[in-house]
Amino acid sequence: MPGMASMNKWAVAIHGGAGVIERTLDPKAAAVRISRLEAVLASAREQLSRGESALNAVEQAVVGLEEAPEFNAGKGAVLTAAGTHELEAAIMAGHSGACGAVCLLETIRNPIRLARFVLDRSPHVLLAGDAAERLAEDLDRVANDWFRTDLREEQWKKWKSTADEADAKGPATVGAVALDMQGNLAAATSTGGRTGKPCGRIGDTPTIGAGTWADQRCAISSTGHGEAFMAAVAAHTVACRLEFCSEKLEVAMQQMVHEGLPARSGGMIAVDTEGTIAMPFNCEGMYRGAADSMGRFGADIWS
Amino acid sequence: MPGMASMNKWAVAIHGGAGVIERTLDPKAAAVRISRLEAVLASAREQLSRGESALNAVEQAVVGLEEAPEFNAGKGAVLTAAGTHELEAAIMAGHSGACGAVCLLETIRNPIRLARFVLDRSPHVLLAGDAAERLAEDLDRVANDWFRTDLREEQWKKWKSTADEADAKGPATVGAVALDMQGNLAAATSTGGRTGKPCGRIGDTPTIGAGTWADQRCAISSTGHGEAFMAAVAAHTVACRLEFCSEKLEVAMQQMVHEGLPARSGGMIAVDTEGTIAMPFNCEGMYRGAADSMGRFGADIWS
């Protein structure tokens, strides 16, 4: 049950990935990314302020980030070792605990929409590959190379010449978390994974509790080195700190990101039922933005 | 660091699945299952009492359960909606936090061995399908129908005539948890999933935190309705109760199984650094057994 404190409050945070973001990033490129984040935020603000559900708002925000070719999800996803794209996504509703996740997708234009379909219509939580793709007949499908951009192809060529996945530390993953005016929380995450990942590798994004989590206290989306977030069950650990230790959201998030995860492994965004937003990261930067019913609105890249 | 209390102590628990196990089960069939569990337990006792690691002991115990055609993992795995077998497994070392998991396997005779390979040799946590299968050249591979038994074929035909996956509530999954004389913990889980599951469905077994978890306090393996365990991040929730609430293992396990999960959804086995074993379940029965350095040794089906 939402407390009175949350009535008519809303809040939203989004991320476009954490990782190595050189401070020498071309200012024009930085400005394009900031404006993409702001456009997604503005749309989420419009939805939440007229009473839309957190679940719909995070789905729509992630669709917006998937469509932006600058971020590693949907259009603009990174390439696998084989030079293909394998996409994954998850979405979770905090008030009901309902969740849906998909992985190893090759042709679904907006993976988060398929994750939502799984949440709404499937008795399952995580569905993979072709069998998942054939589920949702109404969703747009594209050729696998539709996701490709020049930037991702360059990064893949660079990876291929070093063959070291550990060097492929560009910002991965997009995500959104929201509190709506009914006091409900939701989280959504989508990614192309890591440049040079082997086909068949599944990361933290579609792993409920690692990359994506929402309950009646908080909603969380992770970005970074997926395996570290999986081994730490990172998002769920934050939720347990809130539930079992009564910690404040910012305290639990700081602890997780700066002590519970390896240095330079990534970042997380979260919102609680008070509308508090936390967006810590332990690497160079994280594309991120936040807006709320108190007038907050803005996006940033570095600390 | 293991405490002195755990030195020279060891303990192991195994399960062969929780679910609908009719009390009218043919006594001969029940006796065969009990003897299978006892044989696996005896082997684990032999290993742990001579100082073998918990990680090796749980892997070997699960190999033994995979080879037993009576249990739903490896030989004797249930059939998918398509009449095929798709296997999954995970293993985790509590002292290091290292974990490995595999899913959507069709030809690996012992999925837990491939999970162990991922733990030892891969930078990844979860690998799927053909790409995973090709990783470990030294492991036995079999034709997909090698996993089939008459019992599973009958269950599949019955499922097909009702087309209701919810009716396919036979015991699913095998698992093992152990504490070794060095004070280290480990957990391993393996399954064929649920009769009639769609191809591409991934369950709780290979989901680190849901079906399988080990840290420096406890090791846990789940069995039951996978989606319920995934949405609850069941195994990791127990571990967080130990860490954040300083709850006793039995208390945290009882809470999770009887309050944190839906009624009749399954069971869990766990061991802590004191060698305490907990094996609660919320359904008709759970094939299970336990042994320890204090002389405990035995297997059971119902409460």
Side-chain angles (χ1 to χ4, degrees):
Chain A
M1 289 287 294
M4 284 304 292
S6 62
M7 299 307 276
N8 299 319
K9 265 190 193 174
W10 59 264
V12 59
I14 61 174
H15 70 77
V20 176
I21 308 176
E22 304 296 345
R23 289 214 174 246
T24 53
L25 178 69
D26 171 25
K28 274 187 200 157
V32 167
R33 285 162 171 78
I34 290 285
S35 71
R36 292 279 191 193
L37 293 169
E38 288 177 345
V40 168
L41 269 186
S43 174
R45 173 175 62 182
E46 192 274 321
Q47 291 181 293
L48 290 164
S49 63
R50 65 172 157 76
E52 188 58 86
S53 72
L55 191 61
N56 286 343
V58 296
E59 179 187 356
Q60 273 306 112
V62 169
V63 167
L65 294 162
E66 286 175 342
E67 290 289 312
E70 296 82 9
F71 301 120
N72 174 16
K75 179 76 179 177
V78 297
L79 280 69
T80 66
T84 59
H85 302 273
E86 282 188 359
L87 309 169
E88 52 194 36
I91 188 165
M92 189 163 189
H95 57 288
S96 64
C99 44
V102 287
C103 61
L104 309 179
L105 303 183
E106 295 179 358
T107 68
I108 295 288
R109 176 169 173 159
N110 293 114
I112 197 66
R113 286 197 164 134
L114 187 54
R116 176 66 189 269
F117 183 91
V118 171
L119 183 154
D120 286 337
R121 308 276 294 276
S122 166
H124 304 288
V125 167
L126 177 55
L127 294 171
D130 186 54
E133 301 204 336
R134 277 184 282 116
L135 265 187
E137 290 172 7
D138 297 340
L139 296 186
D140 279 355
R141 297 180 71 168
V142 294
N144 191 250
D145 64 4
W146 179 85
F147 296 108
R148 191 154 315 185
T149 62
D150 291 346
L151 172 64
R152 299 311 180 198
E153 192 137 7
E154 275 169 43
Q155 290 174 337
W156 180 75
K157 284 177 181 161
K158 191 177 164 197
W159 165 80
K160 235 180 139 51
S161 68
T162 60
D164 183 1
E165 192 183 337
D167 274 353
K169 284 184 179 165
T173 314
V174 307
V177 295
L179 166 72
D180 65 30
M181 289 203 288
Q182 290 72 47
N184 293 327
L185 296 156
T189 315
S190 180
T191 190
R194 286 160 73 85
T195 298
K197 71 178 179 182
C199 291
R201 176 264 194 183
I202 299 169
D204 64 317
T205 294
T207 302
I208 298 300
T212 307
W213 180 258
D215 59 20
Q216 296 190 315
R217 291 178 188 80
C218 59
I220 303 172
S221 173
S222 309
T223 165
H225 181 194
E227 279 72 16
F229 285 77
M230 294 168 89
V233 199
H236 185 250
T237 298
V238 172
C240 284
R241 285 183 168 274
L242 266 60
E243 179 173 1
F244 300 134
C245 308
S246 301
E247 274 183 11
K248 292 276 185 193
L249 183 71
E250 305 97 313
V251 174
M253 288 285 281
Q254 289 287 332
Q255 203 286 337
M256 189 70 231
V257 168
H258 294 293
E259 295 176 50
L261 287 165
R264 304 170 64 83
S265 59
M268 304 170 84
I269 61 171
V271 63
D272 68 13
T273 52
E274 300 301 309
T276 308
I277 288 167
M279 303 190 287
F281 53 96
N282 60 28
C283 45
E284 281 79 356
M286 178 164 77
Y287 298 111
R288 63 199 188 277
D292 66 23
S293 51
M294 307 290 284
R296 176 175 181 171
F297 185 92
D300 213 337
I301 301 180
W302 297 282
S303 54
Chain B
M1 289 285 294
M4 285 302 291
S6 63
M7 302 305 276
N8 298 319
K9 263 189 195 173
W10 60 264
V12 60
I14 60 174
H15 70 77
V20 176
I21 308 176
E22 304 295 345
R23 290 215 173 243
T24 53
L25 178 69
D26 171 26
K28 275 186 199 157
V32 167
R33 287 162 171 79
I34 289 285
S35 71
R36 292 281 191 193
L37 294 169
E38 287 177 345
V40 168
L41 268 186
S43 174
R45 173 175 64 182
E46 191 276 320
Q47 291 181 294
L48 290 164
S49 63
R50 65 172 157 75
E52 188 58 87
S53 71
L55 191 60
N56 286 343
V58 296
E59 179 187 355
Q60 273 307 112
V62 169
V63 167
L65 293 162
E66 286 175 342
E67 290 289 310
E70 295 81 10
F71 301 120
N72 174 15
K75 179 76 178 177
V78 298
L79 280 69
T80 66
T84 60
H85 301 273
E86 281 189 359
L87 309 169
E88 52 193 36
I91 187 166
M92 188 163 191
H95 56 288
S96 64
C99 43
V102 287
C103 61
L104 309 180
L105 304 183
E106 295 178 359
T107 68
I108 296 288
R109 176 168 174 159
N110 294 113
I112 198 66
R113 287 199 164 130
L114 187 55
R116 176 65 189 269
F117 183 91
V118 171
L119 183 154
D120 286 337
R121 308 275 293 278
S122 165
H124 304 289
V125 167
L126 177 55
L127 294 171
D130 187 54
E133 301 204 336
R134 277 185 281 115
L135 265 187
E137 290 172 6
D138 298 339
L139 296 186
D140 279 355
R141 296 180 71 167
V142 293
N144 191 250
D145 64 5
W146 179 85
F147 295 108
R148 190 154 316 184
T149 62
D150 290 346
L151 172 65
R152 298 312 180 197
E153 191 137 7
E154 275 169 43
Q155 291 174 337
W156 180 76
K157 283 177 182 161
K158 191 178 163 197
W159 165 81
K160 230 174 142 55
S161 69
T162 60
D164 183 359
E165 194 182 338
D167 273 352
K169 282 183 178 164
T173 314
V174 306
V177 295
L179 165 73
D180 64 30
M181 289 203 288
Q182 290 72 49
N184 293 326
L185 296 157
T189 315
S190 180
T191 190
R194 286 159 74 85
T195 298
K197 71 178 179 182
C199 290
R201 176 264 193 182
I202 300 169
D204 64 316
T205 294
T207 302
I208 299 300
T212 307
W213 179 257
D215 60 20
Q216 297 189 313
R217 289 177 190 81
C218 59
I220 302 172
S221 173
S222 309
T223 164
H225 182 194
E227 280 70 16
F229 286 78
M230 296 169 87
V233 200
H236 185 250
T237 298
V238 172
C240 284
R241 285 184 168 273
L242 267 60
E243 180 173 1
F244 300 134
C245 308
S246 302
E247 274 183 9
K248 292 277 186 192
L249 183 70
E250 303 96 314
V251 174
M253 288 284 281
Q254 288 287 333
Q255 202 287 335
M256 189 70 232
V257 168
H258 294 293
E259 296 176 49
L261 287 165
R264 304 170 63 86
S265 60
M268 305 171 84
I269 61 171
V271 62
D272 67 13
T273 53
E274 300 301 310
T276 307
I277 289 167
M279 304 190 287
F281 53 96
N282 61 28
C283 44
E284 281 79 356
M286 178 164 77
Y287 297 111
R288 64 197 188 280
D292 67 22
S293 52
M294 305 293 283
R296 176 175 183 171
F297 185 92
D300 214 338
I301 301 179
W302 297 281
S303 52

